[in-house]
Amino acid sequence: MKVYKFGGASVRSADGVRNLANILSMSKDKLFVVVSAMGKTTNALEDVLDSYMQSRPAQALEKMETVKTYHLDIIGQLFADVQVGKNAVEPVFAELEAVLSAPIDAEYDKAYDRIVSYGELISTRIISTYLNECGIQNQWLDMRAVLQTDSNFREANIYMEESADRLRQAMDRQPAAIYIGQGFIGGNTQGHPTTLGREGSDYTAAVVANLLNAESVTIWKDVPGILNADPRIFPDTIHIPELTYYDAVELAYSGAQVIHPKTIKPLENKHIPLFVKPFEHPEACGSVIKASTAHPIDVPVLILRKNQILITVRPRDFSFVLEDGLSTMFTILHKHRLKISLIQSSAVTISVCVDNTRYVEDALSELHNKFKVTYNDQLELLTIRGVTPEIIARTTGNREILLMQKTRRTARFLMKSRTQTC
Ligand code: ASP
Ligand code: MG
């Protein structure tokens, strides 16, 4: 059994879905295929949720119609008999419509998982039905019933043993050569949908591979494999054909968007290799991440994490902040699901850098209750592994640097964003 994962960018259009079908048709192995929501659907559903939670049901339904039109358009281009495609998604949209028409009965995070999980349910319904229409027989699985999680909504933790049993049972009940399941979603013990954290479909693929003792995982992406830098930002990128799990965790943590940081652990546990392959060129070799490599990375690696905010707190009474300020601050950031990308402290201040998401505002106001808080936004965090003075000069140029950390091999620079408007 091999696990394949296709992200939202790969299945954002009818052509993308046709290409997915083409890739599956070339495989001779039993496959478990994990699919994300199409294109930017998750963001669109977050907007739907916001309107719903602000008690604006008409606006929420209107935004849902836009999501529906987008999917129906893809269906229109994909299916010879459009009605077959419509029949696959109409019940799912009807369910979502019923949710949005009912009064709010849950707090934000729980409602988030109920509503935002529809993105993957819709994409997998379309893709599974389309593949069957093309003669690529497959079985759709509902990952809300398979991946059992706790109730930590928006970042649920998977119960591995329970999920392994459920997955085996679901597959034994419905034998197939190809299974199609949703990335990013699971369900708690009460049967309520949960989500695993943004961009969590890579993690789903890794967990499924672990549960099934799969031979390998392949993430199909719109890149040639893993490069030493993002080609949209840095010229002259170099392809890295092999990396260790350790390298991959470091890169992912620094903000390399090629894989989700949580992906590696379930694979490393069982020594399952992870291939990153170009969706547009399935015959190319891409990159592989595995336990060890005879070819350690010998080129500098540059990772730019955009849209960062640097938050600095100091106790109101000049007490030493590290004594208990640190844990208070981390608890607040954790509660708002903010991931720390850099930390720096002095006797009376702690500074952390996090992704500037829509949840930062709430975290800041909670921090204000405990500390004096200042922040700088519109920042970028550049991490350079295998650092040399020339690379520093070339990449940071004459940009304003707010904070810098350097070890022997790695340097990190927090800089004003280039696109800054003020
Ligand atoms: N659709 C989810 C997201 O956009 C999960 C994923 O794409 O991996 O965050
Ligand atoms: Mg995605």
Side-chain angles (χ1 to χ4, degrees), residues 5 7-8 36-37 39 42-43 120 183-184 197-202:
K5 182 258 168 172
S36 299
T42 304
N43 292 351
E120 272 71 12
F184 179 56
R198 282 303 307 263
E199 307 300 332
S201 295
D202 291 353

Side-chain angles (χ1 to χ4, degrees), residues 3 92 97 118 150 306 339 344:
V3 176
V92 191
E97 193 175 329
Y118 278 98
D150 63 11
K306 292 189 169 178
K339 300 278 179 326
Q344 185 122 317

Side-chain angles (χ1 to χ4, degrees), residues 184-209:
F184 179 56
I185 73 173
N188 71 3
T189 45
Q190 288 84 46
H192 194 285
T194 53
T195 63
L196 309 175
R198 282 303 307 263
E199 307 300 332
S201 295
D202 291 353
Y203 179 53
T204 302
V207 166
V208 167

Side-chain angles (χ1 to χ4, degrees), residues 174-244:
Q174 308 161 96
I178 299 178
Y179 292 92
I180 308 285
Q182 308 78 42
F184 179 56
I185 73 173
N188 71 3
T189 45
Q190 288 84 46
H192 194 285
T194 53
T195 63
L196 309 175
R198 282 303 307 263
E199 307 300 332
S201 295
D202 291 353
Y203 179 53
T204 302
V207 166
V208 167
N210 177 300
L211 300 180
L212 296 175
N213 293 313
E215 196 180 312
S216 65
V217 175
T218 305
I219 295 183
W220 296 93
K221 283 195 76 91
D222 55 351
V223 290
I226 295 177
L227 304 175
N228 74 325
D230 183 338
R232 289 166 302 189
I233 304 171
F234 299 104
D236 310 327
T237 51
I238 299 164
H239 176 223
I240 305 175
E242 288 187 12
L243 296 82
T244 63

Side-chain angles (χ1 to χ4, degrees), residues 239-314:
H239 176 223
I240 305 175
E242 288 187 12
L243 296 82
T244 63
Y245 295 124
Y246 179 83
D247 291 330
V249 167
E250 265 209 353
L251 298 193
Y253 172 74
S254 307
Q257 293 192 332
V258 71
I259 38 167
H260 190 280
K262 277 162 84 178
T263 312
I264 299 302
K265 186 164 167 245
L267 300 177
E268 193 271 338
N269 285 349
K270 294 206 170 164
H271 283 213
I272 299 169
L274 170 63
F275 295 92
V276 177
K277 285 199 167 222
F279 181 66
E280 303 285 352
H281 303 283
E283 67 297 336
C285 57
S287 299
V288 59
I289 299 167
K290 52 189 186 166
S292 62
T293 159
H295 312 284
I297 301 177
D298 60 355
V299 291
V301 178
L302 295 104
I303 299 151
L304 190 67
R305 199 163 168 144
K306 292 189 169 178
N307 196 27
Q308 299 293 295
I309 178 166
L310 179 70
I311 304 172
T312 300
V313 301
R314 67 184 73 224

